[in-house]
Amino acid sequence: MKKSLLLLSLSMFLTVSSLYSQKLENLVSLKENSKNRLFHNLGKASKVPAFESEGYWVWGSSVVKSPDGKYHMYVSRFPKSLPFHPGWMVASEIVHAVSDKIQGPYTFSDVALPARGAQYWDGKSTHNPRIFYHKGKYYLIYMGSTHPFENPTYDELTLDSKWCIVGRANKRVGLAVAETPYGPWKRFDEPIIKTEPNTFYSFLTSNPSPVIQEDGSVLMIFKGRHYTEDDKHSSMALGVAYAKNIEGPYEVLNNKQPIFQVDGQGEAEDPFLWKDADGYHIIFKDHVAKFTGERGGGAMAHSSDGINWTVDSDPKAYSLTVEWEDGSIGKQGQLERPFIYFENGKPVYVFFATMDGPGGFENATRSWNMCIPVK
């Protein structure tokens, strides 16, 4: 019996592992036959990066249009002198880039949220930006972290190192405000979503994805982890918070219980939340291939209240296999942090953080932000 269970576990592990590196040879027909509103309408991507920064790893982005017609991207980057994972956790900064076209390419303008000292909750790393223009002001919601140590070397920075242990435990969701897309940014001295004992987010809060609603209130999905009995951290879970206005205070809803968790709907990450006449919708990274059959692919879910969610009947929303403008089909090493740009209530482009390599952060040589049109 034990031998059978061991073989079954090994078989499942090998299946999931192979999915991680599997190229979808039938991508075009899958999209054509899909009933998923996003996947069916994903267009062909340009191989020209929407944004790339020499000497830096580049990751998730968010875009807003200013009244003068220019497009402003806020994107995280961190130096290639550190390994990609966990370099973002201890040395990321959110930078600002500008383009005349929504799809880019975007030109670097300035560092929006640089390091500002270990004494601040976001003093050493700012990451995962979401930008809004609301009532004449720009609001930047993001993840921040800090640590009290000297800067690490490439070889010193590992998942078990002091920098990662402390930096991960200090991850929180915060807010900055500016009058113009070029700043200066007023950063809040406290996070807007802190940790809380005996909750699914007692260890950290991260990956914010908010929507500003018609009345100015905000509903935000965020990622949390909790402390386990052995003082380590749990798997990822997603929860939902609410505030009457964007500056808070924020209250975690659903009796402070997660809306997606590993023992229920499955381990989900990188949510992008939006709202329309039909209710709330999210796309998220299917971390363990539970919904889409593709580890790291995208899944879609829907809700009438933002708390109770139903996974789409045809859940695959995007794939790590990408259809390019030149007609070729390619498999990305990673495809994360989806951000949908809407015009007149309709999705027109999806931005992704991506990298080369056969999969696994340690196999990449470059990363950039890419943009896929929605037909």
Side-chain angles (χ1 to χ4, degrees), residues 334-346:
Q334 298 281 355
L335 196 76
E336 296 188 351
R337 304 298 305 158
F339 169 80
I340 302 177
Y341 185 85
F342 292 84
E343 284 185 350
N344 301 318
K346 302 293 184 182

Side-chain angles (χ1 to χ4, degrees), residues 63-314:
V63 175
V64 68
K65 187 178 183 180
S66 58
D68 63 2
K70 291 188 179 296
Y71 295 91
H72 301 268
M73 174 184 282
Y74 296 83
V75 54
S76 51
R77 73 175 189 181
F78 45 104
K80 281 191 168 182
S81 58
L82 295 175
F84 181 94
H85 186 49
W88 61 272
M89 204 179 300
V90 299
S92 180
E93 60 185 8
I94 294 174
V95 302
H96 168 219
V98 184
S99 176
D100 292 326
K101 299 185 297 182
I102 175 62
Q103 67 270 33
Y106 285 78
T107 301
F108 173 82
S109 170
D110 54 89
V111 180
L113 301 183
R116 59 172 179 163
Q119 69 270 31
Y120 293 98
W121 69 270
D122 61 348
K124 288 296 185 77
S125 184
T126 57
H127 201 64
N128 290 351
R130 281 296 311 277
I131 186 70
F132 293 94
Y133 180 66
H134 181 64
K135 293 187 176 180
K137 292 184 179 181
Y138 293 85
Y139 292 92
L140 191 53
I141 294 177
Y142 61 100
M143 181 278 290
S145 185
T146 191
H147 64 80
F149 310 118
E150 71 281 5
N151 293 329
T153 65
Y154 191 99
D155 292 334
E156 286 177 324
L157 187 60
T158 68
L159 290 173
D160 296 324
S161 66
K162 61 184 180 181
W163 295 274
C164 182
I165 292 172
V166 176
R168 188 193 295 274
N170 279 328
K171 288 167 60 178
R172 304 289 186 269
V173 173
L175 175 67
V177 186
E179 300 289 338
T180 80
Y182 300 89
W185 292 91
K186 174 191 173 185
R187 291 156 74 165
F188 286 30
D189 289 335
E190 296 287 340
I192 57 173
I193 302 185
K194 301 179 181 180
T195 55
E196 187 172 344
N198 301 314
T199 67
F200 75 90
Y201 54 98
S202 63
F203 181 73
L204 62 77
T205 66
S206 183
N207 292 34
S209 186
V211 291
I212 301 178
Q213 306 187 101
E214 297 83 356
D215 61 357
S217 65
V218 175
L219 194 79
M220 183 191 309
I221 289 181
F222 68 98
K223 182 176 86 174
R225 293 183 190 264
H226 65 82
Y227 278 102
T228 56
E229 290 182 359
D230 55 0
D231 293 330
K232 296 182 179 179
H233 64 75
S234 68
S235 299
M236 297 176 288
L238 299 182
V240 61
Y242 172 83
K244 291 182 178 180
N245 64 75
I246 195 168
E247 295 192 11
Y250 285 81
E251 175 191 2
V252 178
L253 304 181
N254 197 34
N255 295 317
K256 300 183 180 179
Q257 297 298 310
I259 56 172
F260 281 82
Q261 58 185 321
V262 67
D263 296 329
Q265 298 89 337
E267 195 169 25
E269 190 178 18
D270 289 348
F272 176 82
L273 172 69
W274 74 100
K275 184 182 181 183
D276 60 21
D278 297 324
Y280 298 94
H281 315 274
I282 56 170
I283 54 176
F284 58 89
K285 178 182 175 183
D286 189 4
H287 198 65
V288 293
K290 177 170 182 176
F291 303 109
T292 65
E294 180 185 7
R295 183 177 177 185
M300 179 180 285
H302 312 279
S303 173
S304 61
D305 58 7
I307 296 174
N308 300 288
W309 290 86
T310 301
V311 175
D312 198 274
S313 58
D314 194 350

Side-chain angles (χ1 to χ4, degrees), residues 333-370:
Q334 298 281 355
L335 196 76
E336 296 188 351
R337 304 298 305 158
F339 169 80
I340 302 177
Y341 185 85
F342 292 84
E343 284 185 350
N344 301 318
K346 302 293 184 182
V348 290
Y349 286 97
V350 187
F351 290 83
F352 292 97
T354 192
M355 59 171 45
D356 64 359
F361 296 117
E362 69 279 1
N363 296 322
T365 62
R366 57 184 284 250
S367 66
W368 64 99
N369 268 263
M370 64 180 296

Side-chain angles (χ1 to χ4, degrees), residues 1-51:
M1 180 67 176
K2 288 184 178 179
K3 185 176 180 181
S4 298
L5 288 173
L6 179 62
L7 290 173
L8 178 60
S9 298
L10 179 61
S11 174
M12 292 176 65
F13 173 77
L14 291 174
T15 300
V16 172
S17 297
S18 65
L19 286 168
Y20 199 79
S21 58
Q22 183 181 28
K23 177 182 174 182
L24 301 182
E25 300 293 347
N26 60 340
L27 175 71
V28 175
S29 61
L30 281 176
K31 287 163 63 176
E32 287 177 349
N33 296 321
S34 174
K35 292 180 172 55
N36 185 281
R37 65 178 76 176
L38 181 61
F39 190 52
H40 178 73
N41 290 296
L42 279 182
K44 298 180 179 181
S46 170
K47 288 191 172 180
V48 177
F51 181 75

